[in-house]
Amino acid sequence: MFALPELEEQTLQPGVKGLPIVEPLRQHMIGAQHWNVLAADTSLPVAVLKASALQHNLDWMRSFCARHGVLLAPHGKTTMSPQLIAAQIENGAWGITLATIPQVQIALRYGVRRVILANELVAPADIRAVLHLMQEDAGFEFYALVDSLQGVERLSQAVQAFGLQRPLPLLVELGMRGKRAGCREPEEVMAVARAVAAAPGLQLAGIEGYEGLASDVDTVNVFLGRMAELLQVAAEEDLFAGEQVIISAGGSSYFDLVARGFKGLAVAGKTLLPILRSGCYLTNDHGHYFNQIAELEAREGGKAGAGLRPALEVWATVLSRPEPNLAILSMGKRDAGFDLGLPMAIAAHRPGGASLLLPQGAVIDKMNDQHAYLRWPEGVQTGLQVGDLVGCGISHPCTTFDKWPLLLLVDDSYDVLQAVNTFF
C-alpha cells in the first residue's frame, strides 16, 4: 500500500514552480482547475508528463520483461516521484533501484518494500540508517553493492556492532576498466564474493554490473558474459546464501542485450532472479534515449516507432524577439537538462489560437540559467511572436526531473489532470 494520499492532501502555496496559483490550493484539486497548458493557464515554464505516453511505456516494458523472462527494478533516481514509482510497481516491477540512502528512506516512507542500492554502502551514517530500517521493518528487503575487501570488512563490523538480527544481503559488483565502481578483474570479484560469504552478518545475494557505460554492443556482450561466468563460479563454490540469487544489470540503453545475456542462466537448487534496472524507459526522451531505443528496436526486430514514447516535455513562452532569427524562451538550465544535449523545440502554439509551425531549421543552441536561445537560419520567415508557446523535448530525463518539485500530468490535449511530486 503506497502512502500517496498525504501528497494529494497537502496544501500547495503560491510560488510552486509551474503553478499559476495566487492562494493556497490542495494538490488533489489541481485537476478541478481545468487548466490547459496550450491556453497558457499555467505558469511558464512548466514541466509536463503525457499520461498516454507514460501508460504506453509502462505496458511496453511489462510486456518486454514477460517476453524475455526477466524482472524489473527500475532506477527510481530518474524521477524520485512516489506517484511514478508506485505506478511502476503496480505495473509489474519487482522492486526499485536507488542510488543514495536518503532516496531509500524516501522510497520506504511512501511504501516501497524492496530496494537495490546500486552503489557501494560505505559512509558510517548511511550504514547505520540502513541497518535501522532493516531492524525496524522486518519485511523491508534491501540489497547493496560491494567491490572491495575493505568494504566487506566495514559492513561486517557495522552489522555486528549494530546487532542486526538478520544478515545484510550484498551483490558483488563487476566494473569496467576506466569507468565507475566495481571490481575490474574476475579474480577480484571472486575474492570479494568469498569474503562476503565468510563474513559474519553478511550474505552473498548475487552478482551485479552496469553495462550502460560501454560504447558498443560487443563490449556489452563481453561484459555480460563475464557476469554469467562469475555467477556460475560462485554457485559452484556454494557461496550464495538464501533460496534466491540475483544477477542484475541493465541501464536504459542496452537492456535488451542484458535480457538476452541472462537468458538460460540457472543456479542449482536456488531460484535465480535476473533483474533489469532501466529507469529512463518510463518517460524516454526526445534525444539521447530516443536514439538508443531506436537502435534497441532494430535489434529486437520490432516495427520502427512502436517502442517507448517520449513523455516528458518542458513548455516555455517567447519572452523576446530581439533579432529576426532569434527568440528568447523562458526556460533555461534551471528548468531542463543539458548534460546529454540541449532541449529540442518540438512544437509551438499561440494561446487561445492554433498550433504554429516552428521556423524551419530552428534549434536551441544555447541556454543561460533562465533563458534559452531558439535560433534559425537568416532569411527564414516565421510568425512566432512574443507570448507564443514553445514545447521542448529534452535529452536525459534524470537531469530534468531534479529541477521540478512538481510536474503536471496532461492528456493529449494538454488538459491538466493532476500533479506528481519529486524528492531530490
Side-chain angles (χ1 to χ4, degrees), residues 207-218:
I207 303 294
E208 184 274 348
Y210 176 57
E211 81 300 333
L213 298 173
S215 58
D216 59 78
V217 168
D218 290 340

Side-chain angles (χ1 to χ4, degrees), residues 282-315:
L282 182 60
T283 62
N284 199 9
D285 66 18
H286 287 83
H288 176 77
Y289 287 113
F290 183 87
N291 295 328
Q292 294 289 319
I293 293 302
E295 294 178 9
L296 183 151
E297 289 177 7
R299 292 194 297 267
E300 284 284 287
K303 181 180 178 182
L308 300 172
R309 299 174 184 170
L312 174 61
E313 300 172 3
V314 177
W315 281 76

Side-chain angles (χ1 to χ4, degrees), residues 1-8 74 81-96 98 104 106-115 140:
M1 181 67 179
F2 292 95
L4 303 181
E6 67 180 73
L7 294 173
E8 291 301 303
S81 169
Q83 294 97 331
L84 297 178
I85 288 173
Q88 290 173 298
I89 293 177
E90 289 167 351
N91 281 268
W94 170 87
I96 291 293
L98 295 163
V104 174
I106 290 167
L108 184 59
R109 182 196 315 167
Y110 287 101
V112 173
R113 309 299 300 146
R114 188 181 282 140
V115 169
F140 175 54

Side-chain angles (χ1 to χ4, degrees), residues 320-372:
S320 176
R321 284 289 319 278
E323 299 171 17
N325 65 326
L326 176 65
I328 302 299
L329 309 182
S330 64
M331 173 194 74
K333 293 180 179 179
R334 301 291 184 93
D335 311 302
F338 53 91
D339 58 313
L340 291 179
L342 292 171
M344 294 138 282
I346 57 173
H349 194 89
R350 181 154 296 157
S355 296
L356 303 172
L357 291 176
L358 286 164
Q360 186 175 4
V363 296
I364 294 173
D365 64 3
K366 181 181 178 181
M367 286 202 301
N368 302 139
D369 277 2
Q370 310 284 186
H371 299 88

Side-chain angles (χ1 to χ4, degrees), residues 398-420:
C398 298
T399 53
T400 293
F401 270 102
D402 65 0
K403 296 169 174 57
W404 295 88
L406 181 145
L407 297 89
L408 297 179
L409 192 68
V410 300
D411 65 15
D412 290 345
S413 297
Y414 290 89
D415 288 325
V416 176
L417 305 174
Q418 65 182 78
V420 300

Side-chain angles (χ1 to χ4, degrees), residues 75-142:
H75 214 316
K77 73 173 176 61
T78 299
T79 71
M80 279 309 295
S81 169
Q83 294 97 331
L84 297 178
I85 288 173
Q88 290 173 298
I89 293 177
E90 289 167 351
N91 281 268
W94 170 87
I96 291 293
T97 297
L98 295 163
T100 69
I101 299 311
Q103 291 176 2
V104 174
Q105 291 169 318
I106 290 167
L108 184 59
R109 182 196 315 167
Y110 287 101
V112 173
R113 309 299 300 146
R114 188 181 282 140
V115 169
I116 294 176
L117 181 73
N119 227 335
E120 280 64 29
L121 181 59
V122 174
D126 290 341
I127 297 172
R128 289 194 298 271
V130 165
L131 299 181
H132 175 77
L133 293 177
M134 293 180 67
Q135 178 175 271
E136 292 296 307
D137 188 343
F140 175 54
E141 292 185 41
F142 175 85

